[in-house]
Amino acid sequence: MSIKKEYNLIVIGGGPAGMAVAYSAFQAGVKDILLIERHHKLGGILNQCIHVGFGLHYFKKELTGTEYAARYRKLLSNTDIEIKLSTFVTNVSPQKEVTFINRSDGVCVARAQRLVLATGCRERTREMLTVPGFRPAGIFTAGLAQEMVNIYGLMPGKKIVVVGSGDIGLIMARRLTLEGSQVLAVLEIQPQLSGLIRNKVQCLDDFNIPLYLEHELLEILGKNRVEGIRYRDVKGQKEVYMKCDAVLFSVGLIPERDLLIDQEMTPSNEVRLAGNANYVHELVDHATKESEKIGQEIAQELLGAKNV
Amino acid sequence: MIIKSHDITHDIIIIGAGIVGAAIAYELAKYELEILVLEKEAEPSFGVSKSNSGIIHTGFQSPATSLKGKLAVRGNKLYSDLAQKLDLPLKQIGELVVAFEEELPKLEEMQKNGQELGVPDLQIVDRAWLDQHEPNLNQDIQYALLGPTAAVINPYEAVYALLENALANQAQLHCSEKVLSIQSQNSVWQVTTEKAVYKTRYVINAAGLFADEISQLAGILCPKIIPRKGEEFLLDRHIQNLTERVIFPVPKPDTKGVLIIPTVDGNYMLGPTATEIEDKTDLSTSQAGKEKVLKAISNLVKWLPETIVITSFAGLRPALKNGDFYIQEDQPGFVNLVGIQSPGLTAAPAIAEHVREIIEKKQPLKTRVHYQSERKAIPRFRDLPLNQKNTLIQQDPDFGEIICRCEEVTKAEIKMAIQRGACTLDGIKFHTRAQMGRCHGSFCTAKIMTILKDELGLKYQQITKRGKGTEIVY
């Protein structure tokens, strides 16, 4: 176990927001920056986004998520930001001490002048909605299904219902259709779409996948594998049974701030949130720009203080 | 020692690897006996025992005249020693039956019943005591019966602890092996499964919900099991200070009511409901169940957080009409354990002693020569101090790789669970807590599948949630 030197800035999370904070702070002159990423590669959830729709604002070119991540990784490769991959932060303290572990270093503790959590968000799940019914195999969050298909080449089902009209759900409706599954419907309890209009057009309409607004999932059926669902038209109260073998949930994202919550800490000038850990952004380009601003602000605070 | 003829394969066959079967295997493995535990599910504890409230009751809720009352009180006493020997997490937090003004006579009746059973340290406490010790209880609650010897555990961890010790003492366990027929010839029992035929001196029927059906296979009449469903709701770990102890309302004839359970893992569980059903495989939860539980709990406390439930599940109690346990040697060499519902988890170690006595009456048992009395649990990385974490990573770098981030479960723990018999996603969950946190496996499912694939030499498509028919991907 080692107590490392102090850093000026530690950024937790090497997705688009974390990379942007570290990069912009470095560009503005901050030395001794540590960027910690739990995956073996920087890029965060972009690495499983093989569809286009990224980068128009920031890189002025329509890119896939993986391309966007690769471009930003390249920017970082020309810096001397210290990057720790496959490294997991287990604790942050109000004194801005960060405890992290990995296979080769064991347990390490480092202290920072400024700390940024760019830890992204997690998906709401079936369990959180306490959807009644059984607990069979074949229930996925849309993001997990995306990882299964795009990273592992595995199919979550043949006849699929998507519950919730979040962007990942819409993207996955198209993706699974292209891979040969039948996506029977997207159910949304609200009267309006939750994701981007362009995703409805490109992912549902172009593939004749019906979107049922104001439709509520009532129950999941099937003791071993999903066999079907019951849902209801919120207005007409008509109940429908639909046979399917998988259900994908795309019912919202929750900013990931457990490292702070565990310590009853709140964000401050010294401990900031960036990207989706702060609030869920519609476009990665926005998260990048906003996070670069955070990096610049931190640089101003740190370097300004030194100059005085 | 039981004398063997040449075609007998086992002294004891236990049907069912739930808490009762596991406790019996543990108890009998102390002796020189050939023991085989048969389980139809993919892993132990996948039946009634996995969805259980996890309370080690004091025993005062059962009638003083009942078998279950006596066994529960004895079982409670045995658990603290078991927890030490078998490295089983157990927290003795105590239980309170809380009463409104007019319910005081009922509490006094329960206290008297408990004293007859020999439950230690029972005490009726008043509002002033509650204000000091349980400030969040509803202001209208005036009295409570305090049972300080109640504790909480994870039921599946108890099953693992007992079985792992039994296996270390030469017992065998076969999972995914359903019993198809049972016959007796010349005081030898022939048990035919999907995979093999065994001949044994004793059959111990600990088949939980299906114990009545197993008994029928052997041509033995026994009381019919009426499944009684209970739905439970788990709260996020961030929610603290609801109550310190397990809280019960004054019980109804068929159920102990809806409880507040501070689990051994540190989060709260609310439930269970109690609904008689027909189908022994119906583990569905319902909106009505959730509403019923939250309404009942809001009656017990001043404060209940708003968005609180992180997950829910249902379990089935193998209940009998008369409410008691049915334990007897119905034919020579065939011991029935039917209707072992609440407080079955509590009573299990005492039930095991009871079964051992039944066998011992006919035949003295010889103590096992190289008996191992202890068992170590898989280290729980998350809860260790930093220097110990560091030592573990140096010894095995797999401890430096976090797979489940919500519960901070490492690759090393998951591999150890697999070495101990976990072969499904649910098995990994119950052994290690991976997938049990607030993201419910959204982040770690694919990683765990990869470890299962590599360790067991499977294809992704063969990996299941909880056994055949529950494959995850195509």
Side-chain angles (χ1 to χ4, degrees):
Chain A
M1 197 169 114
S2 53
I3 306 287
K4 296 254 165 178
K5 66 173 180 179
E6 292 213 358
Y7 290 90
N8 286 315
L9 170 63
I10 297 180
V11 181
I12 302 170
M19 291 196 291
V21 171
Y23 179 67
S24 61
F26 175 83
Q27 289 292 89
V30 177
K31 304 263 180 285
D32 294 324
I33 301 173
L34 175 63
L35 174 59
I36 302 175
E37 165 57 35
R38 66 160 190 255
H39 200 55
H40 60 77
K41 183 175 173 184
L42 292 176
I45 225 68
L46 286 175
N47 288 327
Q48 68 184 50
C49 297
I50 62 169
H51 55 283
V52 292
F54 303 87
L56 259 183
H57 298 264
Y58 187 80
F59 288 113
K60 308 292 176 205
K61 188 174 183 336
E62 191 173 42
L63 304 168
T64 63
T66 46
E67 287 169 334
Y68 189 106
R71 283 201 177 202
Y72 216 99
R73 274 199 300 271
K74 205 168 174 196
L75 294 178
L76 282 176
S77 66
N78 299 322
T79 68
D80 55 13
I81 295 168
E82 188 178 339
I83 298 168
K84 287 213 169 279
L85 299 173
S86 302
T87 300
F88 189 90
V89 173
T90 57
N91 189 54
V92 299
S93 77
Q95 292 75 39
K96 291 167 286 167
E97 282 163 347
V98 178
T99 310
F100 56 90
I101 69 167
N102 62 37
R103 295 180 69 97
S104 50
D105 301 331
V107 181
C108 302
V109 182
R111 207 195 334 246
Q113 294 290 320
R114 291 289 183 278
L115 186 58
V116 176
L117 269 71
T119 39
C121 51
R122 63 170 182 269
E123 297 175 277
R124 290 185 75 204
T125 64
R126 177 259 170 108
E127 288 84 353
M128 285 179 222
L129 302 178
T130 54
V131 175
F134 293 87
R135 277 144 195 78
I139 302 172
F140 302 83
T141 59
L144 174 58
Q146 187 175 50
E147 184 187 12
M148 293 282 186
V149 177
N150 291 349
I151 306 285
Y152 292 88
L154 301 169
M155 292 296 286
K158 290 172 184 160
K159 282 177 177 288
I160 295 166
V161 173
V162 178
V163 177
S165 61
D167 284 311
I168 316 173
L170 305 177
I171 297 285
M172 283 315 293
R174 173 176 66 185
R175 182 82 186 103
L176 288 163
T177 305
L178 290 171
E179 288 296 335
S181 296
Q182 197 185 347
V183 178
L184 302 168
V186 175
L187 305 182
E188 171 59 60
I189 192 169
Q190 300 296 330
Q192 70 284 339
L193 187 75
S194 138
L196 300 169
I197 293 288
R198 73 163 196 224
N199 281 334
K200 176 187 174 289
V201 174
Q202 294 171 6
C203 301
L204 302 187
D205 298 352
D206 288 358
F207 294 86
N208 294 319
I209 298 167
L211 168 68
Y212 299 140
L213 295 174
E214 295 190 282
H215 277 69
E216 178 188 14
L217 174 67
L218 295 175
E219 192 179 14
I220 297 176
L221 300 154
K223 285 170 188 171
N224 291 324
R225 177 82 201 179
V226 172
E227 287 168 13
I229 59 160
R230 274 195 319 115
Y231 66 91
R232 173 172 73 177
D233 166 4
V234 174
K235 276 185 187 151
Q237 303 285 305
K238 203 180 90 186
E239 281 189 27
V240 182
Y241 172 79
M242 185 179 264
K243 216 176 140 182
C244 61
D245 66 359
V247 181
L248 264 54
F249 279 89
S250 184
V251 288
L253 300 169
I254 301 166
E256 187 73 75
R257 297 171 198 164
D258 289 327
L259 285 170
L260 293 190
I261 296 170
D262 287 342
Q263 297 295 319
E264 295 178 2
M265 288 162 65
T266 45
S268 65
N269 255 5
E270 301 196 325
V271 183
R272 284 180 168 88
L273 297 168
N276 282 359
N278 193 13
Y279 68 93
V280 178
H281 293 65
E282 279 192 350
L283 295 176
V284 66
D285 305 64
H286 296 166
T288 299
K289 281 199 170 156
E290 207 177 275
S291 302
E292 287 185 345
K293 217 172 135 228
I294 291 173
Q296 286 152 9
E297 282 167 16
I298 288 171
Q300 244 167 28
E301 289 166 19
L302 292 175
L303 301 172
K306 267 183 196 165
N307 290 344
V308 173
Chain B
M1 162 116 188
I2 292 170
I3 299 151
K4 292 186 183 180
S5 68
H6 67 280
D7 61 342
I8 286 184
T9 56
H10 295 86
D11 296 313
I12 311 277
I13 286 186
I14 299 166
I15 302 173
I19 186 66
V20 176
I24 294 169
Y26 166 79
E27 180 64 24
L28 295 182
K30 294 171 182 169
Y31 305 93
E32 293 285 345
L33 295 166
E34 293 275 342
I35 301 165
L36 170 63
V37 184
L38 293 174
E39 171 56 53
K40 75 174 166 58
E41 298 296 326
E43 294 187 39
S45 197
F46 271 19
V48 175
S49 301
K50 75 161 186 253
S51 32
N52 175 294
S53 298
I55 303 167
I56 305 303
H57 296 280
T58 62
F60 66 68
Q61 286 97 339
S62 307
T65 50
S66 65
L67 175 62
K68 65 157 64 168
K70 274 174 248 163
L71 293 173
V73 174
R74 172 77 183 148
N76 179 294
K77 287 201 180 90
L78 293 171
Y79 260 104
S80 43
D81 181 47
L82 276 181
Q84 269 202 337
K85 276 188 189 151
L86 303 183
D87 198 12
L88 169 68
L90 176 145
K91 281 189 203 160
Q92 198 177 67
I93 58 175
E95 62 190 10
L96 283 173
V97 180
V98 299
F100 297 93
E101 186 71 53
E102 68 280 6
E103 292 174 320
L104 179 61
K106 183 73 193 159
L107 285 193
E108 289 166 344
E109 203 181 294
M110 290 178 77
Q111 183 181 29
K112 192 164 161 279
N113 181 68
Q115 284 162 345
E116 275 176 48
L117 277 166
V119 177
D121 306 325
L122 287 180
Q123 186 193 348
I124 292 180
V125 295
D126 61 10
R127 185 67 225 180
W129 189 96
L130 293 174
D131 279 337
Q132 196 188 339
H133 296 93
E134 291 288 358
N136 191 33
L137 284 180
N138 181 340
Q139 199 59 50
D140 294 334
I141 288 168
Q142 292 302 313
Y143 304 98
L145 177 57
L146 169 65
T149 54
V152 287
I153 61 168
N154 278 322
Y156 40 86
E157 285 180 351
V159 174
Y160 298 146
L162 293 160
L163 273 179
E164 285 171 15
N165 176 276
L167 298 188
N169 289 304
Q170 310 307 318
Q172 291 170 283
L173 167 68
H174 292 180
C175 290
S176 298
E177 193 167 335
K178 188 177 174 180
V179 172
L180 301 177
S181 73
I182 305 169
Q183 281 137 357
S184 77
Q185 302 162 331
N186 312 324
S187 73
V188 174
W189 291 90
Q190 181 174 305
V191 178
T192 307
T193 71
E194 291 166 314
K195 293 174 183 167
V197 179
Y198 307 99
K199 292 196 166 110
T200 176
R201 298 277 182 202
Y202 277 92
V203 173
I204 314 287
N205 173 15
L209 275 173
F210 302 91
D212 53 353
E213 293 171 37
I214 290 291
S215 185
Q216 278 171 30
L217 282 185
I220 298 169
L221 279 178
C222 77
K224 183 177 155 48
I225 287 169
I226 305 154
R228 193 184 296 150
K229 190 194 280 187
E231 297 182 37
E232 305 257 24
F233 298 85
L234 268 163
L235 310 189
D236 192 292
R237 196 149 39 87
H238 288 149
I239 294 158
Q240 293 293 318
N241 305 322
L242 209 50
T243 64
E244 296 286 318
R245 295 163 187 78
V246 181
I247 307 297
F248 296 73
V250 168
K252 303 236 162 55
D254 59 336
T255 162
K256 298 185 184 74
V258 175
L259 323 178
I260 301 171
I261 306 158
T263 68
V264 75
D265 293 317
N267 55 344
Y268 288 94
M269 185 153 76
L270 310 178
T273 55
T275 322
E276 277 186 11
I277 59 165
E278 298 272 318
D279 180 356
K280 289 177 177 178
T281 59
D282 177 3
L283 291 169
S284 62
T285 50
S286 64
Q287 186 61 27
K290 184 181 173 186
E291 283 161 16
K292 195 174 169 189
V293 164
L294 292 183
K295 185 160 175 278
I297 297 298
S298 64
N299 208 16
L300 295 178
V301 290
K302 288 178 191 161
W303 164 82
L304 195 62
E306 274 173 35
T307 51
I308 49 169
V309 175
I310 59 161
T311 192
S312 53
F313 62 87
L316 299 178
R317 309 170 183 88
L320 299 181
K321 207 169 174 190
N322 81 354
D324 206 352
F325 296 164
Y326 177 92
I327 303 175
Q328 56 194 59
E329 190 175 6
D330 273 327
Q331 278 188 21
F334 194 99
V335 181
N336 259 328
L337 297 114
V338 186
I340 315 296
Q341 59 134 338
S342 179
L345 174 68
T346 308
I351 291 172
E353 285 184 344
H354 189 72
V355 169
R356 191 243 302 141
E357 285 160 11
I358 290 174
I359 294 169
E360 231 174 4
K361 251 182 222 162
K362 297 204 295 198
Q363 207 101 38
L365 297 173
K366 192 181 148 209
T367 311
R368 183 170 293 283
V369 181
H370 299 292
Y371 179 65
Q372 293 187 36
S373 62
E374 298 194 344
R375 167 264 184 188
K376 286 304 276 179
I378 297 171
R380 183 142 291 171
F381 186 83
R382 183 184 82 189
D383 299 336
L384 296 175
L386 290 185
N387 57 351
Q388 282 184 39
K389 284 184 177 176
N390 200 47
T391 310
L392 280 179
I393 298 171
Q394 279 170 357
Q395 286 165 1
D396 178 357
D398 282 342
F399 277 107
E401 197 173 327
I402 304 280
I403 300 296
C404 163
R405 62 172 189 176
C406 301
E407 297 294 321
E408 206 181 313
V409 180
T410 63
K411 188 175 186 180
E413 289 161 86
I414 291 170
K415 282 169 78 171
M416 286 167 135
I418 295 170
Q419 282 156 16
R420 293 179 187 214
C423 58
T424 65
L425 285 180
D426 276 2
I428 297 286
K429 176 165 78 180
F430 294 129
H431 274 278
T432 67
R433 291 191 62 73
Q435 317 157 71
M436 226 180 243
R438 51 182 74 91
C439 92
H440 300 106
S442 310
F443 281 92
C444 62
T445 298
K447 293 181 180 71
I448 296 170
M449 286 173 68
T450 302
I451 300 170
L452 279 167
K453 170 185 84 77
D454 292 345
E455 294 297 304
L456 298 173
L458 298 171
K459 290 183 181 152
Y460 281 113
Q461 286 80 359
Q462 293 172 302
I463 293 166
T464 66
K465 181 166 163 58
R466 53 172 174 264
K468 220 168 169 8
T470 64
E471 286 76 14
I472 311 290
V473 290
Y474 294 101

